[in-house]
Amino acid sequence: MAAKKPKASTPNPGNMSPRVWFYSILLTLQYGFQPIISKRFTRREVIVTSSVLTCEVAKVVCALILMAKDGSLKKLAKEWTLVGSLTASGLPAAIYALQNSLLQISYRNLDSLTFSMLNQTKIIFTAIFTYIILRQRQSIQQIGALFLLIMAAVLLSIGEGSSKGSSSGDPEKILFYGIAPVLVASVLSGLASAFCQWASQVKKHSSYLMTVEMSIVGSLCLLASTSKSPDGDAIRRYGFFYGWTPLTLIPVVTNALGGILVGLVTSLAGGVRKGFVIVSALLVTAMLQFLFEGTPPSVYCLVALPLVVSSISIYQKYPYQVKKKEA
């Protein structure tokens, strides 16, 4: 009697436990609030590298506490190896460290809704790199959804380049310090995501362990870069916590918790549920920007928003179906 494996790997979105719903709602709120929280509680003088490193430390602490709680920390001493850790987590960790720095720069130079929408282009690059690395194909509907998302990104780029109501009045600054960093970060996110998927399938790493390993390796890479980076000079000149206030810890901690939640939602519910979370977060960000910042979205944002929502929904709802060969 043949074993039926294919259905086991794909979680059913309609069959979610209360715990998964709880994690999904928390992640939706974190995604939606994060751009606004970062802009409100992080002063412009704060050195980006100090914020990223502190966030990585917070992730490690949270993940270790959760590992100790579920008992997996005890098994770590017997099963963990340095070579296995570097193979599974080293490269994506270095990529994510650079991505986080780029996102921190972009937060400060784009309005919250535009940032969130452009940040979703990482799905395009995730699809590309998962095909290259894992040979994971896309359905016709998914390809159409990717084109919709590209159209939305173009609209947003045009809109932000000519916008007068964004956080900076200089269109060049918006382009090079707002739009460009978040798009490069999206490319890096797609590449790292594909590597993480490979690591989880081949190495069977838990989400908590991956978080700890990637945070440590990423932090070491970032620390090494401070020897020659402008941020490194600023840290040596003004101190690691220059520009910080007690409120600066709020976006750092929420970002760290978001990293933990991403791993939990992905491992427990799969990519479909995470896709719904992303769509919901866009709507949350749009509402929060209007409520807290007092400025309605630009015309380009209003046109692009349904394109982004539609493309992500279609992409997640219509995955590529492998046709069964009948004997």
Side-chain angles (χ1 to χ4, degrees):
M1 189 178 285
K4 296 180 181 179
K5 293 182 180 177
K7 295 290 181 184
S9 61
T10 306
N12 183 358
N15 220 5
M16 294 294 159
S17 69
R19 184 166 63 126
V20 174
W21 278 110
F22 178 66
Y23 291 151
S24 298
I25 291 169
L26 284 181
L27 184 56
T28 300
L29 294 174
Q30 189 273 327
Y31 270 157
F33 269 100
Q34 192 63 43
I36 292 174
I37 291 173
S38 293
K39 289 178 71 174
R40 280 182 171 262
F41 298 118
T42 304
R43 295 168 59 186
R44 298 187 72 86
E45 302 85 46
V46 171
I47 302 166
V48 172
T49 299
S50 72
S51 177
V52 173
L53 284 172
T54 308
C55 179
E56 296 304 316
V57 171
K59 280 186 194 176
V60 170
V61 172
C62 291
L64 288 175
I65 291 171
L66 292 168
M67 288 177 73
K69 189 176 179 181
D70 69 12
S72 59
L73 193 58
K74 295 179 181 178
K75 302 176 184 177
L76 199 59
K78 299 178 181 178
E79 301 175 359
W80 185 86
T81 64
L82 179 60
V83 175
S85 173
L86 291 175
T87 302
S89 305
L91 184 56
I95 295 171
Y96 275 131
L98 177 57
Q99 179 210 0
N100 284 337
S101 294
L102 290 169
L103 289 177
Q104 292 291 332
I105 294 169
S106 184
Y107 274 153
R108 303 178 183 187
N109 294 282
L110 285 180
D111 68 86
S112 303
L113 181 57
T114 302
F115 171 86
S116 292
M117 292 172 72
L118 280 177
N119 194 31
Q120 305 319 314
T121 58
K122 61 190 173 187
I123 292 180
I124 296 173
F125 302 109
T126 300
I128 292 170
F129 287 118
T130 50
Y131 175 74
I132 294 171
I133 296 172
L134 299 166
R135 312 308 295 175
Q136 184 174 314
R137 296 175 179 273
Q138 311 300 322
S139 67
I140 298 294
Q141 293 94 330
Q142 286 178 321
I143 293 171
L146 295 180
F147 278 108
L148 285 177
L149 202 55
I150 292 170
M151 288 169 56
V154 171
L155 281 173
L156 287 165
S157 298
I158 295 171
E160 276 301 300
S162 60
S163 175
K164 296 181 180 178
S166 57
S167 57
S168 171
D170 184 357
E172 284 192 13
K173 187 174 181 180
I174 294 169
L175 177 62
F176 291 109
Y177 292 95
I179 294 172
V182 72
L183 288 178
V184 173
S186 293
V187 175
L188 295 175
S189 176
L191 179 60
S193 179
F195 277 123
C196 286
Q197 188 174 336
W198 172 83
S200 64
Q201 290 174 357
V202 176
K203 298 295 180 181
K204 307 298 182 185
H205 274 32
S206 72
S207 62
Y208 296 146
L209 181 56
M210 286 283 288
T211 297
V212 171
E213 291 176 339
M214 291 173 60
S215 293
I216 291 173
V217 175
S219 297
L220 292 174
C221 292
L222 203 54
L223 282 171
S225 72
T226 58
S227 61
K228 293 185 177 180
S229 69
D231 274 9
D233 292 337
I235 289 172
R236 287 186 289 274
R237 186 178 303 174
Y238 303 112
F240 186 83
F241 292 107
Y242 177 74
W244 280 60
T245 68
L247 293 177
T248 309
L249 285 172
I250 295 175
V252 169
V253 171
T254 56
N255 205 15
L257 292 174
I260 300 290
L261 287 168
V262 166
L264 287 171
V265 171
T266 303
S267 63
L268 293 173
V272 173
R273 177 58 56 190
K274 185 182 172 184
F276 284 117
V277 167
I278 292 171
V279 173
S280 302
L282 288 176
L283 301 176
V284 170
T285 301
M287 178 186 69
L288 292 173
Q289 180 178 267
F290 180 72
L291 290 175
F292 291 104
E293 298 182 356
T295 53
S298 68
V299 174
Y300 290 101
C301 282
L302 291 174
V303 174
L305 180 57
L307 291 178
V308 174
V309 173
S310 300
S311 65
I312 296 174
S313 297
I314 293 169
Y315 185 85
Q316 298 293 344
K317 286 179 73 175
Y318 300 100
Y320 179 81
Q321 300 290 335
V322 180
K323 295 180 180 179
K324 296 180 180 179
K325 295 181 180 178
E326 295 185 6

